[in-house]
Amino acid sequence: MDCQQAQHLLHAYLDRELDLVHSVEMERHLQNCGTCKSAYDQQQALGRAIGVSSLYHSAPADLRKRIQSELRRVNPRKPSLNRRLRSIMSLATAAVLLVAATWAIDRNWRGDATEAVLDQVVASHVRSLLVDHVADVASSDRHQVKPWFNGKLDYAPEVDDFAPQGFPLIGARLDYVQHRPVAAMVYGRRKHLINLFCWPTTDDHSAAVSQFQRQGYHLAHWVKPGLEFWAVSDLNPAELQQFAKLAQAVGTEPSEK
């Protein structure tokens, strides 16, 4: 983990939102990097300072009554037509701003959700390599791998072998992403491994392949009606894109039975 990655994950680490792999990496980095450790200490001190009650000032209890009384004294008459129109326009403007703010919040939330999934997928990929648990069922036969999931998941993942294109199926396992068990199919490319995660989605339309990078790994994401896919590997982006296109086409073209 470098300093840029540590700064990006610092607040999540302070809030204890990181998974085990990233927490361990952050702890090791803070032990060896004085700059990031200083930033961590400053954020901790800021959090403690904000929590001090002496920073808060309570307004006098009768302040509201005094303000209302003063307003009635200054402007006792009923609002004119122009003022009423200005009020209506103000309310309309406020409504527009509220809609815009809601859209911005929803967009930011979706962005945060994508960031969270990126972290989880990469963590699952790294964990499978660290504990040497790449596959629960080791087989290149998709007719053996796909039935293995029966009774283990409440959906049927798509499984295919792309050995003729240079991405042989190695096997599959159960993993845990997005707070639920998910299917993880494992493919090879020379000495590289690709984890392909798949889980249900409420989206009933397809989404093209998007690519991301996180912690030195490359990721590809796409959606098919009812299913969401994430592929992650240390493979270069061009070859991962090639793999993603092959996996995305499963079920859209006739294949051998």
Side-chain angles (χ1 to χ4, degrees):
M1 176 178 292
D2 57 30
C3 290
Q4 182 178 0
Q5 295 168 335
Q7 292 291 336
H8 177 73
L9 297 175
L10 181 58
H11 289 91
Y13 179 70
L14 283 163
D15 295 335
R16 298 182 180 179
E17 296 175 350
L18 295 182
D19 57 78
L20 177 60
V21 173
H22 286 89
S23 294
V24 171
E25 289 181 355
M26 178 64 82
E27 289 173 3
R28 289 175 179 171
H29 183 79
L30 292 177
Q31 289 174 359
N32 299 304
C33 178
T35 302
C36 290
K37 181 61 166 62
S38 177
Y40 171 75
D41 293 338
Q42 290 175 9
Q43 290 295 324
Q44 275 197 319
L46 178 61
R48 288 192 295 267
I50 292 175
V52 176
S53 60
S54 61
L55 294 177
Y56 294 90
H57 176 73
S58 299
D62 63 342
L63 178 60
R64 180 185 180 89
K65 293 181 180 179
R66 292 192 339 226
I67 292 175
Q68 290 176 336
S69 176
E70 185 65 17
L71 287 174
R72 285 193 295 269
R73 185 186 68 78
V74 173
N75 187 20
R77 296 178 300 174
K78 292 183 178 180
S80 65
L81 177 60
N82 286 339
R83 288 187 178 180
R84 288 200 295 271
L85 288 175
R86 283 199 297 270
S87 264
I88 293 172
M89 291 299 294
S90 296
L91 289 173
T93 302
V96 171
L97 291 174
L98 178 61
V99 171
T102 301
W103 176 84
I105 291 171
D106 179 69
R107 185 174 182 180
N108 288 335
W109 180 85
R110 290 178 183 272
D112 291 342
T114 299
E115 289 292 311
V117 174
L118 281 169
D119 288 335
Q120 292 180 45
V121 168
V122 170
S124 294
H125 176 74
V126 173
R127 186 166 54 245
S128 71
L129 303 177
L130 289 178
V131 301
D132 194 24
H133 182 65
V134 175
D136 291 325
V137 52
S139 174
S140 60
D141 184 356
R142 64 189 179 92
H143 297 294
Q144 179 180 350
V145 173
K146 185 168 183 175
W148 179 84
F149 287 107
N150 292 342
K152 299 178 178 68
L153 297 171
D154 56 1
Y155 64 97
E158 293 183 349
V159 182
D160 211 332
D161 181 27
F162 308 112
Q165 295 87 0
F167 299 93
L169 177 66
I170 294 176
R173 70 177 185 279
L174 285 178
D175 214 304
Y176 196 81
V177 182
Q178 287 288 76
H179 309 293
R180 64 162 297 152
V182 302
M185 282 67 70
V186 186
Y187 294 85
R189 179 69 166 181
R190 298 186 297 276
K191 294 183 179 181
H192 303 274
L193 289 177
I194 304 171
N195 268 302
L196 175 60
F197 299 92
C198 166
W199 58 79
T201 178
T202 55
D203 288 342
D204 57 359
H205 61 279
S206 298
V209 176
S210 301
Q211 289 195 282
F212 303 86
Q213 185 173 353
R214 180 61 55 89
Q215 300 287 327
Y217 295 96
H218 296 103
L219 301 97
H221 171 251
W222 65 95
V223 176
K224 298 171 74 171
L227 287 175
E228 181 173 357
F229 298 84
W230 284 89
V232 55
S233 177
D234 60 354
L235 198 62
N236 66 74
E239 290 183 293
L240 186 62
Q241 174 80 357
Q242 181 186 353
F243 169 79
K245 292 293 186 182
L246 291 170
Q248 187 184 35
V250 173
T252 62
E253 299 177 357
S255 59
E256 293 184 7
K257 299 294 184 182

Short mmCIF file of all heavy atoms in Angstrom, two decimals, residues 224-245:
data_model
loop_
_atom_site.label_atom_id
_atom_site.label_comp_id
_atom_site.label_asym_id
_atom_site.label_seq_id
_atom_site.Cartn_x
_atom_site.Cartn_y
_atom_site.Cartn_z
N LYS A 224 -26.18 -7.93 -17.01
CA LYS A 224 -27.13 -8.56 -17.92
C LYS A 224 -28.46 -8.63 -17.18
O LYS A 224 -28.47 -8.56 -15.94
CB LYS A 224 -26.64 -9.95 -18.32
CG LYS A 224 -25.31 -9.91 -19.06
CD LYS A 224 -24.73 -11.29 -19.27
CE LYS A 224 -25.47 -12.06 -20.33
NZ LYS A 224 -24.77 -13.32 -20.68
N PRO A 225 -29.58 -8.70 -17.86
CA PRO A 225 -30.86 -8.71 -17.15
C PRO A 225 -30.90 -9.74 -16.02
O PRO A 225 -30.79 -10.94 -16.25
CB PRO A 225 -31.86 -9.06 -18.27
CG PRO A 225 -31.22 -8.52 -19.51
CD PRO A 225 -29.74 -8.76 -19.32
N GLY A 226 -30.99 -9.24 -14.80
CA GLY A 226 -31.09 -10.11 -13.64
C GLY A 226 -29.78 -10.52 -13.01
O GLY A 226 -29.78 -11.08 -11.91
N LEU A 227 -28.64 -10.24 -13.65
CA LEU A 227 -27.35 -10.67 -13.11
C LEU A 227 -26.31 -9.56 -13.25
O LEU A 227 -26.25 -8.87 -14.28
CB LEU A 227 -26.84 -11.92 -13.82
CG LEU A 227 -27.55 -13.25 -13.50
CD1 LEU A 227 -26.99 -14.36 -14.39
CD2 LEU A 227 -27.40 -13.62 -12.03
N GLU A 228 -25.46 -9.42 -12.22
CA GLU A 228 -24.38 -8.45 -12.22
C GLU A 228 -23.05 -9.20 -12.15
O GLU A 228 -22.93 -10.20 -11.43
CB GLU A 228 -24.51 -7.50 -11.04
CG GLU A 228 -23.44 -6.43 -10.96
CD GLU A 228 -23.69 -5.41 -9.86
OE1 GLU A 228 -24.75 -5.52 -9.19
OE2 GLU A 228 -22.84 -4.52 -9.66
N PHE A 229 -22.04 -8.73 -12.89
CA PHE A 229 -20.77 -9.43 -12.99
C PHE A 229 -19.61 -8.48 -12.67
O PHE A 229 -19.60 -7.32 -13.08
CB PHE A 229 -20.56 -9.99 -14.41
CG PHE A 229 -21.58 -11.00 -14.82
CD1 PHE A 229 -22.80 -10.61 -15.35
CD2 PHE A 229 -21.32 -12.35 -14.67
CE1 PHE A 229 -23.75 -11.54 -15.74
CE2 PHE A 229 -22.27 -13.30 -15.07
CZ PHE A 229 -23.49 -12.89 -15.60
N TRP A 230 -18.62 -9.01 -11.94
CA TRP A 230 -17.36 -8.30 -11.68
C TRP A 230 -16.22 -9.28 -11.92
O TRP A 230 -16.18 -10.36 -11.33
CB TRP A 230 -17.29 -7.81 -10.23
CG TRP A 230 -18.13 -6.60 -9.96
CD1 TRP A 230 -19.44 -6.57 -9.57
CD2 TRP A 230 -17.70 -5.24 -10.04
NE1 TRP A 230 -19.87 -5.28 -9.42
CE2 TRP A 230 -18.83 -4.43 -9.68
CE3 TRP A 230 -16.50 -4.62 -10.35
CZ2 TRP A 230 -18.76 -3.05 -9.65
CZ3 TRP A 230 -16.43 -3.23 -10.31
CH2 TRP A 230 -17.55 -2.46 -9.97
N ALA A 231 -15.29 -8.91 -12.80
CA ALA A 231 -14.09 -9.70 -13.03
C ALA A 231 -12.90 -8.92 -12.49
O ALA A 231 -12.79 -7.72 -12.70
CB ALA A 231 -13.90 -9.98 -14.51
N VAL A 232 -11.99 -9.61 -11.78
CA VAL A 232 -10.83 -8.93 -11.18
C VAL A 232 -9.60 -9.80 -11.38
O VAL A 232 -9.65 -11.03 -11.27
CB VAL A 232 -11.06 -8.65 -9.68
CG1 VAL A 232 -11.42 -9.91 -8.93
CG2 VAL A 232 -9.85 -7.98 -9.06
N SER A 233 -8.47 -9.15 -11.70
CA SER A 233 -7.23 -9.87 -11.94
C SER A 233 -6.06 -8.88 -11.97
O SER A 233 -6.28 -7.67 -12.06
CB SER A 233 -7.30 -10.61 -13.28
OG SER A 233 -6.09 -11.28 -13.57
N ASP A 234 -4.84 -9.41 -11.90
CA ASP A 234 -3.67 -8.56 -12.13
C ASP A 234 -3.29 -8.58 -13.61
O ASP A 234 -2.24 -8.08 -14.02
CB ASP A 234 -2.49 -9.00 -11.26
CG ASP A 234 -2.07 -10.44 -11.53
OD1 ASP A 234 -2.75 -11.14 -12.30
OD2 ASP A 234 -1.05 -10.86 -10.95
N LEU A 235 -4.16 -9.19 -14.42
CA LEU A 235 -3.98 -9.20 -15.87
C LEU A 235 -4.05 -7.78 -16.41
O LEU A 235 -4.69 -6.91 -15.82
CB LEU A 235 -5.09 -10.06 -16.48
CG LEU A 235 -4.91 -10.58 -17.91
CD1 LEU A 235 -3.71 -11.49 -18.01
CD2 LEU A 235 -6.18 -11.32 -18.33
N ASN A 236 -3.41 -7.53 -17.55
CA ASN A 236 -3.45 -6.18 -18.12
C ASN A 236 -4.85 -5.84 -18.60
O ASN A 236 -5.64 -6.75 -18.92
CB ASN A 236 -2.42 -6.03 -19.26
CG ASN A 236 -2.78 -6.90 -20.46
OD1 ASN A 236 -3.71 -6.61 -21.21
ND2 ASN A 236 -2.03 -8.00 -20.64
N PRO A 237 -5.21 -4.55 -18.65
CA PRO A 237 -6.58 -4.13 -18.97
C PRO A 237 -7.09 -4.64 -20.31
O PRO A 237 -8.27 -4.99 -20.44
CB PRO A 237 -6.50 -2.60 -18.96
CG PRO A 237 -5.33 -2.28 -18.10
CD PRO A 237 -4.35 -3.39 -18.31
N ALA A 238 -6.23 -4.69 -21.33
CA ALA A 238 -6.68 -5.12 -22.66
C ALA A 238 -7.13 -6.57 -22.65
O ALA A 238 -8.19 -6.92 -23.20
CB ALA A 238 -5.56 -4.92 -23.68
N GLU A 239 -6.36 -7.45 -22.00
CA GLU A 239 -6.74 -8.86 -21.96
C GLU A 239 -7.93 -9.10 -21.03
O GLU A 239 -8.76 -9.97 -21.30
CB GLU A 239 -5.53 -9.70 -21.52
CG GLU A 239 -4.44 -9.77 -22.58
CD GLU A 239 -3.29 -10.66 -22.16
OE1 GLU A 239 -2.58 -10.29 -21.20
OE2 GLU A 239 -3.10 -11.72 -22.79
N LEU A 240 -8.02 -8.31 -19.95
CA LEU A 240 -9.19 -8.45 -19.08
C LEU A 240 -10.45 -8.01 -19.83
O LEU A 240 -11.52 -8.60 -19.67
CB LEU A 240 -9.01 -7.62 -17.81
CG LEU A 240 -10.11 -7.81 -16.76
CD1 LEU A 240 -10.17 -9.26 -16.28
CD2 LEU A 240 -9.91 -6.88 -15.57
N GLN A 241 -10.33 -6.97 -20.65
CA GLN A 241 -11.46 -6.52 -21.47
C GLN A 241 -11.86 -7.62 -22.45
O GLN A 241 -13.05 -7.87 -22.67
CB GLN A 241 -11.08 -5.25 -22.22
CG GLN A 241 -12.11 -4.75 -23.22
CD GLN A 241 -13.24 -3.99 -22.57
OE1 GLN A 241 -13.29 -3.87 -21.35
NE2 GLN A 241 -14.15 -3.47 -23.39
N GLN A 242 -10.87 -8.29 -23.03
CA GLN A 242 -11.15 -9.40 -23.94
C GLN A 242 -11.92 -10.51 -23.23
O GLN A 242 -12.91 -11.05 -23.76
CB GLN A 242 -9.84 -9.95 -24.52
CG GLN A 242 -10.02 -11.10 -25.50
CD GLN A 242 -8.68 -11.70 -25.93
OE1 GLN A 242 -7.61 -11.19 -25.59
NE2 GLN A 242 -8.73 -12.80 -26.67
N PHE A 243 -11.48 -10.84 -22.02
CA PHE A 243 -12.17 -11.86 -21.23
C PHE A 243 -13.60 -11.43 -20.92
O PHE A 243 -14.55 -12.21 -21.03
CB PHE A 243 -11.42 -12.13 -19.93
CG PHE A 243 -12.20 -12.97 -18.96
CD1 PHE A 243 -12.28 -14.34 -19.11
CD2 PHE A 243 -12.89 -12.38 -17.91
CE1 PHE A 243 -13.01 -15.12 -18.21
CE2 PHE A 243 -13.63 -13.14 -17.01
CZ PHE A 243 -13.69 -14.52 -17.17
N ALA A 244 -13.76 -10.16 -20.50
CA ALA A 244 -15.09 -9.66 -20.13
C ALA A 244 -16.05 -9.75 -21.31
O ALA A 244 -17.23 -10.10 -21.14
CB ALA A 244 -14.98 -8.22 -19.64
N LYS A 245 -15.58 -9.45 -22.51
CA LYS A 245 -16.43 -9.53 -23.70
C LYS A 245 -16.88 -10.97 -23.94
O LYS A 245 -18.03 -11.23 -24.32
CB LYS A 245 -15.69 -8.99 -24.91
CG LYS A 245 -15.43 -7.49 -24.88
CD LYS A 245 -16.72 -6.69 -24.98
CE LYS A 245 -16.44 -5.21 -25.10
NZ LYS A 245 -17.71 -4.41 -25.16
#
